[in-house]
Amino acid sequence: MIGPFFALLKRDLLLAFRHRGELANPLLFFLIVVTLYPLGVSPDEALLRKIAPGVIWIAALLAALYSLENMFRSDFDDGSLEQMALSPYPLSLLVLAKVLAHWLVSGLPMLLLAPLLAMFLAMPAPAMTVLELTLLIGTPLLSLIGSIGVALTVGLRRGGILLTLLVLPLYIPVLIFATNAVSAAAAGLSVTGQLYFLAAMLVLALTLVPLATAAALRISLS
Amino acid sequence: MNHPEPTLQARGLECVRSDSLLFSDLNLSVKAGQVLQIEGPNGSGKTSLLRILAGLTPPNEGEVLWRGENIARRRSAFLSEVAYLGHQLGLKADLSVEENLRLSLALSGLSFSPASLAEALQTVGLTGREETPARALSAGQRQRITLARLILSSATLWILDEPFTALDSSGVSLVEAMLKSHLNRGGLAVLTSHQTVRLDGGLIKLALA
């Protein structure tokens, strides 16, 4: 059962590694959006500290959205997705491998980049820890939720706008709880409530999303 | 548990694509040692029929039976015996021939030894191309990779959509030879093609209007 999962994960990481240029795009987008704020809004430290959680999270959310489309596109175009649907193993398991690969190449680098950007926006150290925690829980959630939208729109010629409309409303709760947690941490308040809520959403998504995405892929393929 | 004889049957199939009826009340039966060639003009639903038989598309009406059981109900048992070769080859341009084969077979839980890989590549005429990325190969050679996949998959039922398209005359006789030995091993196949398929026996035809 676990063999095909790791084979697919390995394949996607290998392909991502051979397309490093494409990989860097969403990351550069994340980096550029955040670094433009001090230049475009104001270099005032107090203001930056106040807006930092929102700025970083909005940039992360948009970068995730930007990177989503590639999740199933090339597999759909070259017929690999058909072969996956014809695997005797559950498609949801293969979907989970693809989502994990997507997170490893898009979410994880953002996680590594975020402390640098937080420093750039004068974020206090305790808030930075919480920012990392929310990104650790939140970015896999973005990849998971996004996979449903991508699976539904992959068969359409111009699915980009539709994908955004489908996925964005589902991203909003993640954004609200994550930025709220970081702001609360900056103000010295407890953040366990928000973190638990995000973690609960992640567990829910981990269990249900692969099934939904697999079903959506079968519809797109038929 | 398994029906003793591998047979593929379809009962009362109906397929509607973008509001037009492609076929209805279609019945067919293929036994071990038989090849079913589906013929018909472009747009008559050959590919749609193959996708229904492979379980990729659910039919609007009717059912497909493998070893006497509905494939939708015994999906994973059915799929572990099927190899499907579609219009899109399912190859990654940036992976080498060997990586492509290894990964697509891993999806079915299969693996192969270097010796059997070399043998399969020799059969399809790609000896020494293990490390070549699929991008660097011609259309016919890429088609030959999928033939190697077919050999390594050891599936009982082959579903081949236009297997001769990009192939030269030696490729065509290669597919015919592969079909013959597949039938001798007790396999069965369904294919679409505009060409005459030369087999010693076991070829049955179905014409779509």
Side-chain angles (χ1 to χ4, degrees):
Chain A
M1 194 81 145
I2 219 71
F5 177 88
F6 282 111
L8 192 57
L9 181 65
K10 196 179 133 199
R11 185 203 78 159
D12 271 20
L13 294 179
L14 194 64
L15 282 171
F17 181 72
R18 290 190 186 162
H19 283 272
R20 276 165 300 223
E22 271 174 50
L23 206 71
N25 276 345
L27 270 184
L28 277 177
F29 177 83
F30 179 56
L31 195 71
I32 290 168
V33 169
V34 176
T35 47
L36 283 181
Y37 266 85
L39 302 172
V41 180
S42 150
D44 174 27
E45 262 192 38
L47 178 71
L48 286 178
R49 192 173 295 145
K50 197 150 185 267
I51 60 169
V55 168
I56 294 179
W57 252 98
I58 290 172
L61 190 146
L62 291 176
L65 200 60
Y66 179 41
S67 68
L68 271 183
E69 256 196 285
N70 301 327
M71 199 189 280
F72 297 119
R73 169 62 54 197
S74 73
D75 284 341
F76 184 81
D77 288 342
D78 65 22
S80 305
L81 204 57
E82 251 168 29
Q83 296 295 334
M84 279 177 224
L86 289 169
S87 160
Y89 294 91
L91 185 55
S92 45
L93 183 80
L94 304 178
V95 162
L96 201 58
K98 288 210 61 91
V99 174
L100 179 59
H102 178 263
W103 179 75
L104 285 175
V105 298
S106 71
L108 191 62
M110 286 203 276
L111 204 68
L112 301 176
L113 217 55
L116 190 74
L117 296 174
M119 227 144 59
F120 206 71
L121 298 180
M123 193 184 271
M128 220 187 280
T129 320
V130 174
L131 174 73
E132 282 293 284
L133 271 174
T134 56
L135 283 172
L136 180 67
I137 307 172
T139 45
L141 204 47
L142 297 182
S143 294
L144 278 165
I145 296 172
S147 74
I148 307 178
V150 192
L152 279 172
T153 53
V154 74
L156 307 174
R157 281 281 145 256
R158 300 202 180 281
I161 298 286
L162 191 61
L163 173 66
T164 312
L165 285 175
L166 277 174
V167 166
L168 211 51
L170 299 170
Y171 276 4
I172 301 296
V174 184
L175 178 72
I176 292 174
F177 279 94
T179 49
N180 185 267
V182 184
S183 303
L189 302 171
S190 162
V191 293
T192 40
Q194 292 93 322
L195 289 180
Y196 276 143
F197 191 86
L198 282 172
M201 285 206 285
L202 178 60
V203 172
L204 194 69
L206 264 175
T207 46
L208 295 181
V209 162
L211 300 173
T213 304
L217 282 177
R218 288 205 192 279
I219 295 172
S220 287
L221 279 172
S222 71
Chain B
M1 194 166 84
N2 276 346
H3 201 274
E5 278 286 293
T7 50
L8 181 75
Q9 288 166 295
R11 282 198 207 130
L13 287 187
E14 180 181 297
C15 177
V16 178
R17 278 272 132 141
S18 31
D19 288 338
S20 71
L21 180 70
L22 289 178
F23 48 80
S24 66
D25 198 28
L26 184 132
N27 299 295
L28 60 88
S29 169
V30 193
K31 290 200 292 281
Q34 285 185 324
V35 174
L36 174 68
Q37 181 180 8
I38 299 164
E39 293 173 314
N42 297 126
S44 59
K46 297 188 293 294
T47 296
S48 300
L49 177 57
L50 286 194
R51 292 177 67 91
I52 289 174
L53 293 179
L56 274 172
T57 316
N60 296 79
E61 289 287 337
E63 55 178 358
V64 179
L65 306 171
W66 171 246
R67 293 183 192 267
E69 291 189 80
N70 192 324
I71 58 164
R73 236 170 282 142
R74 310 239 311 137
R75 192 177 182 86
S76 129
F78 169 64
L79 290 176
S80 63
E81 292 190 272
V82 179
Y84 174 82
L85 181 62
H87 277 296
Q88 278 113 16
L89 301 177
L91 298 173
K92 285 284 167 199
D94 291 305
L95 295 183
S96 73
V97 172
E98 184 183 349
E99 286 164 338
N100 263 307
L101 286 171
R102 210 166 272 291
L103 285 159
S104 56
L105 284 162
L107 286 181
S108 316
L110 298 170
S111 61
F112 48 80
S113 64
S116 53
L117 172 71
E119 197 190 321
L121 288 185
Q122 194 189 2
T123 311
V124 301
L126 288 174
T127 309
R129 296 305 190 112
E130 286 93 339
E131 304 296 323
T132 316
R135 174 186 299 291
L137 297 174
S138 73
Q141 286 173 315
R142 281 202 289 266
Q143 183 103 16
R144 282 164 187 264
I145 305 178
T146 63
L147 296 179
R149 181 167 71 205
L150 218 49
I151 295 174
L152 292 166
S153 77
S154 69
T156 317
L157 171 62
W158 289 1
I159 299 182
L160 315 173
D161 198 353
E162 302 283 356
F164 301 112
T165 24
L167 296 175
D168 53 18
S169 58
S170 78
V172 172
S173 18
L174 167 68
V175 176
E176 285 167 347
M178 281 173 57
L179 278 170
K180 275 178 212 164
S181 67
H182 179 59
L183 298 187
N184 286 338
R185 279 195 309 269
L188 54 154
V190 181
L191 58 87
T192 62
S193 176
H194 295 290
Q195 295 197 345
T196 325
V197 186
R198 286 160 297 172
L199 295 174
D200 297 332
L203 184 71
I204 47 177
K205 291 192 179 186
L206 174 79
L208 293 179

